[in-house]
PDB file of all heavy atoms in Angstrom:
ATOM      1  N   ILE A 363     -15.537  25.531  15.518  1.00  0.00           N
ATOM      2  CA  ILE A 363     -14.407  24.855  16.169  1.00  0.00           C
ATOM      3  C   ILE A 363     -13.811  25.734  17.266  1.00  0.00           C
ATOM      4  O   ILE A 363     -13.510  25.258  18.371  1.00  0.00           O
ATOM      5  CB  ILE A 363     -13.343  24.483  15.125  1.00  0.00           C
ATOM      6  CG1 ILE A 363     -13.891  23.415  14.168  1.00  0.00           C
ATOM      7  CG2 ILE A 363     -12.069  23.981  15.794  1.00  0.00           C
ATOM      8  CD1 ILE A 363     -13.013  23.165  12.956  1.00  0.00           C
ATOM      9  N   ALA A 364     -13.663  27.018  16.967  1.00  0.00           N
ATOM     10  CA  ALA A 364     -13.101  27.928  17.966  1.00  0.00           C
ATOM     11  C   ALA A 364     -14.025  28.076  19.171  1.00  0.00           C
ATOM     12  O   ALA A 364     -13.558  28.244  20.306  1.00  0.00           O
ATOM     13  CB  ALA A 364     -12.844  29.293  17.330  1.00  0.00           C
ATOM     14  N   THR A 365     -15.337  27.991  18.951  1.00  0.00           N
ATOM     15  CA  THR A 365     -16.297  28.140  20.045  1.00  0.00           C
ATOM     16  C   THR A 365     -16.410  26.872  20.885  1.00  0.00           C
ATOM     17  O   THR A 365     -16.361  26.915  22.127  1.00  0.00           O
ATOM     18  CB  THR A 365     -17.677  28.517  19.488  1.00  0.00           C
ATOM     19  OG1 THR A 365     -17.570  29.724  18.717  1.00  0.00           O
ATOM     20  CG2 THR A 365     -18.683  28.721  20.616  1.00  0.00           C
ATOM     21  N   PHE A 366     -16.536  25.720  20.243  1.00  0.00           N
ATOM     22  CA  PHE A 366     -16.785  24.459  20.944  1.00  0.00           C
ATOM     23  C   PHE A 366     -15.511  23.828  21.493  1.00  0.00           C
ATOM     24  O   PHE A 366     -15.549  23.065  22.445  1.00  0.00           O
ATOM     25  CB  PHE A 366     -17.489  23.490  19.991  1.00  0.00           C
ATOM     26  CG  PHE A 366     -18.021  22.251  20.647  1.00  0.00           C
ATOM     27  CD1 PHE A 366     -18.959  22.340  21.661  1.00  0.00           C
ATOM     28  CD2 PHE A 366     -17.583  20.996  20.259  1.00  0.00           C
ATOM     29  CE1 PHE A 366     -19.465  21.200  22.278  1.00  0.00           C
ATOM     30  CE2 PHE A 366     -18.077  19.844  20.863  1.00  0.00           C
ATOM     31  CZ  PHE A 366     -19.019  19.952  21.871  1.00  0.00           C
ATOM     32  N   LYS A 367     -14.373  24.122  20.849  1.00  0.00           N
ATOM     33  CA  LYS A 367     -13.068  23.579  21.251  1.00  0.00           C
ATOM     34  C   LYS A 367     -13.107  22.047  21.329  1.00  0.00           C
ATOM     35  O   LYS A 367     -12.890  21.452  22.403  1.00  0.00           O
ATOM     36  CB  LYS A 367     -12.608  24.158  22.583  1.00  0.00           C
ATOM     37  CG  LYS A 367     -12.439  25.667  22.596  1.00  0.00           C
ATOM     38  CD  LYS A 367     -11.856  26.153  23.891  1.00  0.00           C
ATOM     39  CE  LYS A 367     -11.741  27.666  23.964  1.00  0.00           C
ATOM     40  NZ  LYS A 367     -11.606  28.393  22.730  1.00  0.00           N
ATOM     41  N   PRO A 368     -13.351  21.369  20.220  1.00  0.00           N
ATOM     42  CA  PRO A 368     -13.475  19.909  20.254  1.00  0.00           C
ATOM     43  C   PRO A 368     -12.123  19.220  20.252  1.00  0.00           C
ATOM     44  O   PRO A 368     -11.092  19.810  19.908  1.00  0.00           O
ATOM     45  CB  PRO A 368     -14.239  19.614  18.955  1.00  0.00           C
ATOM     46  CG  PRO A 368     -13.783  20.693  18.021  1.00  0.00           C
ATOM     47  CD  PRO A 368     -13.564  21.914  18.870  1.00  0.00           C
ATOM     48  N   HIS A 369     -12.134  17.945  20.653  1.00  0.00           N
ATOM     49  CA  HIS A 369     -10.966  17.083  20.513  1.00  0.00           C
ATOM     50  C   HIS A 369     -11.008  16.327  19.189  1.00  0.00           C
ATOM     51  O   HIS A 369      -9.968  15.935  18.653  1.00  0.00           O
ATOM     52  CB  HIS A 369     -10.904  16.067  21.654  1.00  0.00           C
ATOM     53  CG  HIS A 369     -10.785  16.696  23.005  1.00  0.00           C
ATOM     54  ND1 HIS A 369     -11.885  17.095  23.743  1.00  0.00           N
ATOM     55  CD2 HIS A 369      -9.696  16.999  23.762  1.00  0.00           C
ATOM     56  CE1 HIS A 369     -11.482  17.616  24.896  1.00  0.00           C
ATOM     57  NE2 HIS A 369     -10.164  17.568  24.934  1.00  0.00           N
ATOM     58  N   VAL A 370     -12.210  16.085  18.683  1.00  0.00           N
ATOM     59  CA  VAL A 370     -12.412  15.351  17.429  1.00  0.00           C
ATOM     60  C   VAL A 370     -13.406  16.131  16.582  1.00  0.00           C
ATOM     61  O   VAL A 370     -14.423  16.608  17.082  1.00  0.00           O
ATOM     62  CB  VAL A 370     -12.949  13.926  17.696  1.00  0.00           C
ATOM     63  CG1 VAL A 370     -13.277  13.226  16.385  1.00  0.00           C
ATOM     64  CG2 VAL A 370     -11.947  13.114  18.506  1.00  0.00           C
ATOM     65  N   VAL A 371     -13.089  16.255  15.288  1.00  0.00           N
ATOM     66  CA  VAL A 371     -13.992  16.893  14.326  1.00  0.00           C
ATOM     67  C   VAL A 371     -14.307  15.890  13.227  1.00  0.00           C
ATOM     68  O   VAL A 371     -13.395  15.274  12.661  1.00  0.00           O
ATOM     69  CB  VAL A 371     -13.373  18.170  13.728  1.00  0.00           C
ATOM     70  CG1 VAL A 371     -14.204  18.676  12.550  1.00  0.00           C
ATOM     71  CG2 VAL A 371     -13.268  19.258  14.778  1.00  0.00           C
ATOM     72  N   ILE A 372     -15.589  15.723  12.922  1.00  0.00           N
ATOM     73  CA  ILE A 372     -16.044  14.805  11.883  1.00  0.00           C
ATOM     74  C   ILE A 372     -16.745  15.624  10.804  1.00  0.00           C
ATOM     75  O   ILE A 372     -17.624  16.439  11.115  1.00  0.00           O
ATOM     76  CB  ILE A 372     -16.996  13.741  12.460  1.00  0.00           C
ATOM     77  CG1 ILE A 372     -16.270  12.900  13.516  1.00  0.00           C
ATOM     78  CG2 ILE A 372     -17.543  12.845  11.357  1.00  0.00           C
ATOM     79  CD1 ILE A 372     -17.174  11.939  14.255  1.00  0.00           C
ATOM     80  N   ILE A 373     -16.374  15.416   9.543  1.00  0.00           N
ATOM     81  CA  ILE A 373     -17.000  16.087   8.414  1.00  0.00           C
ATOM     82  C   ILE A 373     -17.595  15.012   7.516  1.00  0.00           C
ATOM     83  O   ILE A 373     -16.865  14.204   6.938  1.00  0.00           O
ATOM     84  CB  ILE A 373     -16.004  16.963   7.625  1.00  0.00           C
ATOM     85  CG1 ILE A 373     -15.443  18.071   8.523  1.00  0.00           C
ATOM     86  CG2 ILE A 373     -16.692  17.572   6.416  1.00  0.00           C
ATOM     87  CD1 ILE A 373     -14.157  17.741   9.195  1.00  0.00           C
ATOM     88  N   ASP A 374     -18.927  15.010   7.406  1.00  0.00           N
ATOM     89  CA  ASP A 374     -19.634  13.927   6.721  1.00  0.00           C
ATOM     90  C   ASP A 374     -20.684  14.482   5.753  1.00  0.00           C
ATOM     91  O   ASP A 374     -21.728  14.963   6.201  1.00  0.00           O
ATOM     92  CB  ASP A 374     -20.304  13.037   7.769  1.00  0.00           C
ATOM     93  CG  ASP A 374     -21.083  11.882   7.170  1.00  0.00           C
ATOM     94  OD1 ASP A 374     -20.673  11.408   6.098  1.00  0.00           O
ATOM     95  OD2 ASP A 374     -22.096  11.473   7.772  1.00  0.00           O
ATOM     96  N   PRO A 375     -20.432  14.391   4.412  1.00  0.00           N
ATOM     97  CA  PRO A 375     -19.162  14.052   3.766  1.00  0.00           C
ATOM     98  C   PRO A 375     -18.459  15.317   3.287  1.00  0.00           C
ATOM     99  O   PRO A 375     -19.098  16.325   2.992  1.00  0.00           O
ATOM    100  CB  PRO A 375     -19.628  13.206   2.575  1.00  0.00           C
ATOM    101  CG  PRO A 375     -20.934  13.823   2.182  1.00  0.00           C
ATOM    102  CD  PRO A 375     -21.556  14.377   3.456  1.00  0.00           C
ATOM    103  N   ILE A 376     -17.146  15.261   3.192  1.00  0.00           N
ATOM    104  CA  ILE A 376     -16.365  16.405   2.735  1.00  0.00           C
ATOM    105  C   ILE A 376     -16.581  16.662   1.255  1.00  0.00           C
ATOM    106  O   ILE A 376     -16.429  17.785   0.769  1.00  0.00           O
ATOM    107  CB  ILE A 376     -14.872  16.180   3.052  1.00  0.00           C
ATOM    108  CG1 ILE A 376     -14.061  17.444   2.797  1.00  0.00           C
ATOM    109  CG2 ILE A 376     -14.331  15.008   2.259  1.00  0.00           C
ATOM    110  CD1 ILE A 376     -14.435  18.602   3.678  1.00  0.00           C
ATOM    111  N   THR A 377     -16.965  15.630   0.492  1.00  0.00           N
ATOM    112  CA  THR A 377     -17.173  15.798  -0.943  1.00  0.00           C
ATOM    113  C   THR A 377     -18.332  16.724  -1.250  1.00  0.00           C
ATOM    114  O   THR A 377     -18.374  17.329  -2.320  1.00  0.00           O
ATOM    115  CB  THR A 377     -17.418  14.435  -1.605  1.00  0.00           C
ATOM    116  OG1 THR A 377     -18.310  13.662  -0.792  1.00  0.00           O
ATOM    117  CG2 THR A 377     -16.122  13.661  -1.750  1.00  0.00           C
ATOM    118  N   SER A 378     -19.287  16.878  -0.330  1.00  0.00           N
ATOM    119  CA  SER A 378     -20.391  17.810  -0.557  1.00  0.00           C
ATOM    120  C   SER A 378     -19.884  19.241  -0.647  1.00  0.00           C
ATOM    121  O   SER A 378     -20.434  20.067  -1.378  1.00  0.00           O
ATOM    122  CB  SER A 378     -21.421  17.696   0.564  1.00  0.00           C
ATOM    123  OG  SER A 378     -22.032  16.424   0.562  1.00  0.00           O
ATOM    124  N   LEU A 379     -18.824  19.562   0.104  1.00  0.00           N
ATOM    125  CA  LEU A 379     -18.237  20.894   0.041  1.00  0.00           C
ATOM    126  C   LEU A 379     -17.309  21.042  -1.155  1.00  0.00           C
ATOM    127  O   LEU A 379     -17.285  22.090  -1.806  1.00  0.00           O
ATOM    128  CB  LEU A 379     -17.466  21.196   1.325  1.00  0.00           C
ATOM    129  CG  LEU A 379     -18.285  21.298   2.615  1.00  0.00           C
ATOM    130  CD1 LEU A 379     -17.383  21.680   3.771  1.00  0.00           C
ATOM    131  CD2 LEU A 379     -19.411  22.294   2.472  1.00  0.00           C
ATOM    132  N   MET A 380     -16.565  20.003  -1.462  1.00  0.00           N
ATOM    133  CA  MET A 380     -15.609  20.094  -2.563  1.00  0.00           C
ATOM    134  C   MET A 380     -16.303  20.267  -3.904  1.00  0.00           C
ATOM    135  O   MET A 380     -15.735  20.818  -4.847  1.00  0.00           O
ATOM    136  CB  MET A 380     -14.711  18.859  -2.584  1.00  0.00           C
ATOM    137  CG  MET A 380     -13.853  18.713  -1.335  1.00  0.00           C
ATOM    138  SD  MET A 380     -12.652  17.381  -1.450  1.00  0.00           S
ATOM    139  CE  MET A 380     -11.537  18.011  -2.698  1.00  0.00           C
ATOM    140  N   ASP A 381     -17.549  19.808  -3.992  1.00  0.00           N
ATOM    141  CA  ASP A 381     -18.289  19.964  -5.237  1.00  0.00           C
ATOM    142  C   ASP A 381     -18.714  21.404  -5.491  1.00  0.00           C
ATOM    143  O   ASP A 381     -19.183  21.727  -6.593  1.00  0.00           O
ATOM    144  CB  ASP A 381     -19.535  19.068  -5.233  1.00  0.00           C
ATOM    145  CG  ASP A 381     -19.181  17.589  -5.281  1.00  0.00           C
ATOM    146  OD1 ASP A 381     -18.057  17.275  -5.706  1.00  0.00           O
ATOM    147  OD2 ASP A 381     -20.018  16.761  -4.888  1.00  0.00           O
ATOM    148  N   LEU A 382     -18.556  22.281  -4.486  1.00  0.00           N
ATOM    149  CA  LEU A 382     -18.962  23.672  -4.655  1.00  0.00           C
ATOM    150  C   LEU A 382     -17.958  24.472  -5.471  1.00  0.00           C
ATOM    151  O   LEU A 382     -18.285  25.573  -5.921  1.00  0.00           O
ATOM    152  CB  LEU A 382     -19.136  24.336  -3.282  1.00  0.00           C
ATOM    153  CG  LEU A 382     -20.229  23.743  -2.384  1.00  0.00           C
ATOM    154  CD1 LEU A 382     -20.242  24.461  -1.041  1.00  0.00           C
ATOM    155  CD2 LEU A 382     -21.591  23.847  -3.049  1.00  0.00           C
ATOM    156  N   GLY A 383     -16.764  23.976  -5.624  1.00  0.00           N
ATOM    157  CA  GLY A 383     -15.739  24.707  -6.367  1.00  0.00           C
ATOM    158  C   GLY A 383     -14.957  23.793  -7.280  1.00  0.00           C
ATOM    159  O   GLY A 383     -15.311  22.633  -7.500  1.00  0.00           O
ATOM    160  N   THR A 384     -13.898  24.325  -7.833  1.00  0.00           N
ATOM    161  CA  THR A 384     -13.033  23.537  -8.692  1.00  0.00           C
ATOM    162  C   THR A 384     -12.193  22.590  -7.849  1.00  0.00           C
ATOM    163  O   THR A 384     -12.195  22.653  -6.613  1.00  0.00           O
ATOM    164  CB  THR A 384     -12.120  24.458  -9.515  1.00  0.00           C
ATOM    165  OG1 THR A 384     -11.267  25.200  -8.609  1.00  0.00           O
ATOM    166  CG2 THR A 384     -12.939  25.442 -10.344  1.00  0.00           C
ATOM    167  N   ASP A 385     -11.466  21.696  -8.520  1.00  0.00           N
ATOM    168  CA  ASP A 385     -10.609  20.755  -7.792  1.00  0.00           C
ATOM    169  C   ASP A 385      -9.552  21.486  -6.968  1.00  0.00           C
ATOM    170  O   ASP A 385      -9.276  21.112  -5.821  1.00  0.00           O
ATOM    171  CB  ASP A 385      -9.941  19.790  -8.776  1.00  0.00           C
ATOM    172  CG  ASP A 385     -10.937  18.818  -9.387  1.00  0.00           C
ATOM    173  OD1 ASP A 385     -12.042  18.668  -8.816  1.00  0.00           O
ATOM    174  OD2 ASP A 385     -10.620  18.225 -10.441  1.00  0.00           O
ATOM    175  N   SER A 386      -8.962  22.530  -7.551  1.00  0.00           N
ATOM    176  CA  SER A 386      -7.930  23.266  -6.819  1.00  0.00           C
ATOM    177  C   SER A 386      -8.525  24.014  -5.630  1.00  0.00           C
ATOM    178  O   SER A 386      -7.918  24.070  -4.556  1.00  0.00           O
ATOM    179  CB  SER A 386      -7.227  24.254  -7.754  1.00  0.00           C
ATOM    180  OG  SER A 386      -8.152  25.186  -8.287  1.00  0.00           O
ATOM    181  N   GLU A 387      -9.729  24.576  -5.800  1.00  0.00           N
ATOM    182  CA  GLU A 387     -10.370  25.271  -4.689  1.00  0.00           C
ATOM    183  C   GLU A 387     -10.759  24.292  -3.588  1.00  0.00           C
ATOM    184  O   GLU A 387     -10.611  24.589  -2.400  1.00  0.00           O
ATOM    185  CB  GLU A 387     -11.612  26.011  -5.195  1.00  0.00           C
ATOM    186  CG  GLU A 387     -11.288  27.212  -6.074  1.00  0.00           C
ATOM    187  CD  GLU A 387     -12.530  27.829  -6.682  1.00  0.00           C
ATOM    188  OE1 GLU A 387     -13.586  27.154  -6.714  1.00  0.00           O
ATOM    189  OE2 GLU A 387     -12.449  28.992  -7.137  1.00  0.00           O
ATOM    190  N   GLY A 388     -11.259  23.116  -3.996  1.00  0.00           N
ATOM    191  CA  GLY A 388     -11.614  22.110  -3.000  1.00  0.00           C
ATOM    192  C   GLY A 388     -10.411  21.612  -2.236  1.00  0.00           C
ATOM    193  O   GLY A 388     -10.456  21.461  -1.008  1.00  0.00           O
ATOM    194  N   LYS A 389      -9.329  21.353  -2.939  1.00  0.00           N
ATOM    195  CA  LYS A 389      -8.111  20.899  -2.263  1.00  0.00           C
ATOM    196  C   LYS A 389      -7.556  21.981  -1.353  1.00  0.00           C
ATOM    197  O   LYS A 389      -7.069  21.699  -0.250  1.00  0.00           O
ATOM    198  CB  LYS A 389      -7.065  20.489  -3.297  1.00  0.00           C
ATOM    199  CG  LYS A 389      -5.804  19.886  -2.683  1.00  0.00           C
ATOM    200  CD  LYS A 389      -4.850  19.380  -3.737  1.00  0.00           C
ATOM    201  CE  LYS A 389      -3.625  18.745  -3.095  1.00  0.00           C
ATOM    202  NZ  LYS A 389      -2.675  18.222  -4.116  1.00  0.00           N
ATOM    203  N   GLY A 390      -7.633  23.236  -1.807  1.00  0.00           N
ATOM    204  CA  GLY A 390      -7.176  24.331  -0.956  1.00  0.00           C
ATOM    205  C   GLY A 390      -7.994  24.449   0.301  1.00  0.00           C
ATOM    206  O   GLY A 390      -7.462  24.698   1.388  1.00  0.00           O
ATOM    207  N   MET A 391      -9.305  24.256   0.192  1.00  0.00           N
ATOM    208  CA  MET A 391     -10.166  24.312   1.366  1.00  0.00           C
ATOM    209  C   MET A 391      -9.816  23.210   2.356  1.00  0.00           C
ATOM    210  O   MET A 391      -9.706  23.445   3.563  1.00  0.00           O
ATOM    211  CB  MET A 391     -11.630  24.199   0.925  1.00  0.00           C
ATOM    212  CG  MET A 391     -12.648  24.285   2.049  1.00  0.00           C
ATOM    213  SD  MET A 391     -13.057  22.672   2.783  1.00  0.00           S
ATOM    214  CE  MET A 391     -13.840  21.873   1.393  1.00  0.00           C
ATOM    215  N   VAL A 392      -9.643  21.976   1.847  1.00  0.00           N
ATOM    216  CA  VAL A 392      -9.302  20.861   2.729  1.00  0.00           C
ATOM    217  C   VAL A 392      -7.927  21.076   3.358  1.00  0.00           C
ATOM    218  O   VAL A 392      -7.706  20.765   4.534  1.00  0.00           O
ATOM    219  CB  VAL A 392      -9.351  19.529   1.955  1.00  0.00           C
ATOM    220  CG1 VAL A 392      -8.895  18.373   2.831  1.00  0.00           C
ATOM    221  CG2 VAL A 392     -10.758  19.261   1.445  1.00  0.00           C
ATOM    222  N   THR A 393      -6.997  21.623   2.590  1.00  0.00           N
ATOM    223  CA  THR A 393      -5.657  21.888   3.118  1.00  0.00           C
ATOM    224  C   THR A 393      -5.709  22.860   4.283  1.00  0.00           C
ATOM    225  O   THR A 393      -5.097  22.638   5.338  1.00  0.00           O
ATOM    226  CB  THR A 393      -4.750  22.442   2.011  1.00  0.00           C
ATOM    227  OG1 THR A 393      -4.662  21.504   0.950  1.00  0.00           O
ATOM    228  CG2 THR A 393      -3.353  22.724   2.550  1.00  0.00           C
TER     229      THR A 393
END
Side-chain angles (χ1 to χ4, degrees):
I363 293 169
T365 303
F366 190 60
K367 300 186 183 333
H369 299 87
V370 175
V371 170
I372 298 173
I373 298 94
D374 179 31
I376 189 63
T377 43
S378 295
L379 295 183
M380 297 187 68
D381 292 339
L382 297 178
T384 63
D385 290 342
S386 60
E387 290 174 342
K389 185 175 182 179
M391 182 270 295
V392 176
T393 301

